[in-house]
Structure formats: structure tokens, C-alpha cells
Amino acid sequence: MRSWNIKLSTSLLFLTAIPAFGSEGGVAPKAVPLFEVFGLPITNSLVTSWVVSLFILLVIRLMVGKATLVPGRGQAIIESALSALKDLITPIIGKKTVNAAYPLILGLFFYILLQNWSGLLPGVGTMGFGLTDAAGKFHLMEPIIRPANADWNGTIALAIVAMTAWFIIVLNPKYGGIKLLAYDLFGNKADKKELAVWMYYILSGIFAVVGLIEVFSICIRPFTLSVRLFGNVFGGENLLHQTGFVFPFYFLELIVGFVQALVFILLLSVYIGLICNHGDDHEDEHGEAAAH
């Protein structure tokens, strides 16, 4: 545990380790290292993320138990949630690609959702080590538990995982491929038969410039994904601390936590669908024509 250098003044301060049920200073911008493993710092945010991950695994295991053909109540609830999420993203990603992307998107959604909501639990961000002054007032300095998504290290790790998976999926020839990606970014989408030759080549240059802008947009997606999630969760945590966890703001953070998890996976779905969701409608029409 980090050692504190306490400077004595006219009011004597004592190091203590008691729960703090309010923190007027809000959540610190950086996570606090609690201990080290092989020289690597283990922060309070990282510990919280591990606890929430274990909680997700245990709850799903206890609810589902041994999967059966005729589902029990717990299995039915889990299956309904999974089906609803799959139905939501299938039109965005495309039928061809959804099975490849669905496990990742499913895991990201429930992980982010519960990490967001973990900050609403009693003691998270408000219980830890601090100082009690001569008047008996406690000043929190080192919270033991901190929401994982209130730490930018955690959200940027999620964004990097998401965009790495995006890269792998869109470059897979089964779903996209390098040629499709290059055409989608730089290719001339105009019909050459309907335009004058000089106009077609001017449009080719315009599409090439737009493609460069799109490449830059792709490069900053990990940053935008992570900052959006971090900013909303970190800001919400500080709002709750400053307002004393009053119910209206508490309820608002429940909604924000859900919306931010949904926004994260929908944006990732759109990124995948922009490259991979081509031809589903045409294939459906072709299949119907063949059937008749």
C-alpha cells in the first residue's frame, strides 16, 4: 500500500483506514496503484474490473446451470437477452458477418454495462484510506475500489480490443477482404456509363481524397470510442460524489450506463457493417427468385 508523507501543522492529522461514505473531492483523474505483481502496478480500477468479470461469469453460470433443450427460467432469461441483442445488430452488420462479430459485441456490451453500473454500488469510490483531521472529518485520499470505466486506461483497452477485432473481421475474405476495404475507402462509386470521362476521373480524385480522410477517421476511432465512454462514466461518478448520491442523479446514471454500453457496441457494429454489410438484400432477392 502506498505510504503517505504527512506534514504536521497546527491541526494534527492521523492516518486512518475507515470507510468513507462521501467524497467531496470526487473521483481522482488517475487510478491508484494498490500493490505490484512482478513490478506491474495493480490499480483499484483493475481490481474492480476483475471482480465484475468474475461476477458476470458466476451469475451466468448460476442462472443457466447445465444448458438443456427445454430451457429453465434462468436459461430462458439469458437466451432472450442474447437473442434481442443479436436481432438488434444483425441488420447493421449483415447476416453474413453477424456470427463472427456477435460473440465479441455480446461480451463487450455486458462487460461495459456492468462496469458502468459498478460505480453505483455502495462503497465504490468512497471507501478506502485517507486522513481524519482534529475535528473528526474524514478526507478520502486512496479509494480501494474505483469503477473500471472511470479510468481511461480501461476504456482505451476496450477500444483497442474492439478495433483490433474490426481489423481482423474486415480483412477476412469471407466477410470483406483487402480489395473490398480498398474499394470502399478509395474506389469511385459513380457509374462510368452515366458520366463523361473527364467527370468520372475528377470524381476518382475526390473519392481518393475522401478515402484519406476516412483512413484518418479509422485511426482515431480507438481514441473517440475510449474518450466518449471514459468521459461519461468519469463525469457521472463525480456528479454523484458532488451531489451526495441523491436519487434523481443516481437513476440518471443507471440510464447513462446502459446508453453508453449500447452506443459503444452500436458504433462498433456500424464500423463493421460499413465494410462487410454488402449484398444481403441482393442475395435475398436472388434466393426468392430461385424459389419461384
Side-chain angles (χ1 to χ4, degrees), residues 85 88-94 97-98 101-102 105-106 166 225 262-277:
L85 188 59
L88 175 66
I89 65 172
T90 297
I92 303 172
I93 295 178
T97 315
V98 67
Y102 178 60
I105 291 174
L106 177 69
W166 170 87
L225 281 173
L262 190 63
V263 166
F264 192 99
I265 63 145
L266 286 179
L267 285 173
L268 178 59
S269 299
V270 169
Y271 296 155
I272 296 172
L274 286 173
I275 307 299
C276 301
N277 191 7

Side-chain angles (χ1 to χ4, degrees), residues 11 29-30 34 36 55 77 98 102-103 108 130-131 136 140 159 170 177 189-190 204 211 234-235 246 254 269 279 281:
S11 61
K30 295 182 179 180
L34 299 178
E36 291 186 355
F55 175 78
I77 293 173
V98 67
Y102 178 60
L108 285 172
L131 297 170
L140 183 66
V170 301
K189 315 305 187 298
S204 295
F234 180 75
V246 295
L254 278 173
S269 299
D281 294 337

Side-chain angles (χ1 to χ4, degrees), residues 3-20:
S3 60
W4 299 100
N5 296 321
I6 306 173
K7 189 173 183 179
L8 295 178
S9 61
T10 53
S11 61
L12 186 61
L13 299 177
F14 299 95
L15 185 65
T16 186
I18 61 174

Side-chain angles (χ1 to χ4, degrees), residues 198-212:
W198 63 271
M199 179 63 74
Y200 181 82
Y201 287 112
I202 289 176
L203 287 176
S204 295
I206 293 174
F207 277 114
V209 173
V210 172
L212 292 175

Side-chain angles (χ1 to χ4, degrees), residues 57-74:
L57 294 174
L58 289 174
V59 167
I60 293 177
R61 184 64 181 172
L62 290 174
M63 289 184 68
V64 174
K66 185 178 181 180
T68 58
L69 187 61
V70 179
R73 181 179 300 177

Side-chain angles (χ1 to χ4, degrees), residues 235-249:
E237 281 295 304
N238 278 283
L239 175 66
L240 290 177
H241 282 254
Q242 296 292 341
T243 57
F245 295 85
V246 295
F247 178 75
F249 293 110

Side-chain angles (χ1 to χ4, degrees), residues 14-179:
F14 299 95
L15 185 65
T16 186
I18 61 174
F21 298 101
S23 177
E24 68 278 2
V27 180
K30 295 182 179 180
V32 177
L34 299 178
F35 54 92
E36 291 186 355
V37 176
F38 302 115
L40 298 175
I42 306 300
T43 66
N44 46 7
S45 293
L46 189 57
V47 171
T48 305
S49 70
W50 291 344
V51 172
V52 172
S53 299
L54 288 174
F55 175 78
I56 295 173
L57 294 174
L58 289 174
V59 167
I60 293 177
R61 184 64 181 172
L62 290 174
M63 289 184 68
V64 174
K66 185 178 181 180
T68 58
L69 187 61
V70 179
R73 181 179 300 177
Q75 183 179 339
I77 293 173
I78 296 296
E79 288 181 356
S80 298
L82 302 188
S83 298
L85 188 59
K86 189 173 184 178
D87 291 341
L88 175 66
I89 65 172
T90 297
I92 303 172
I93 295 178
K95 298 176 183 177
K96 178 178 63 176
T97 315
V98 67
N99 288 334
Y102 178 60
L104 169 73
I105 291 174
L106 177 69
L108 285 172
F109 175 74
F110 284 105
Y111 177 84
I112 294 172
L113 176 65
L114 293 182
Q115 293 290 1
N116 290 349
W117 283 353
S118 69
L120 304 177
L121 297 174
V124 176
T126 61
M127 184 173 64
F129 290 87
L131 297 170
T132 301
D133 59 24
K137 186 176 181 181
F138 181 79
H139 303 273
L140 183 66
M141 299 179 68
E142 182 177 313
I144 297 175
I145 311 172
R146 173 195 175 102
N149 289 340
D151 179 10
W152 192 27
N153 292 301
T155 61
I156 200 167
L158 290 171
I160 290 173
V161 168
M163 292 309 300
T164 301
W166 170 87
F167 189 75
I168 293 172
I169 291 171
V170 301
L171 288 185
N172 189 325
K174 185 177 179 181
Y175 312 116
I178 186 66
K179 290 183 179 180

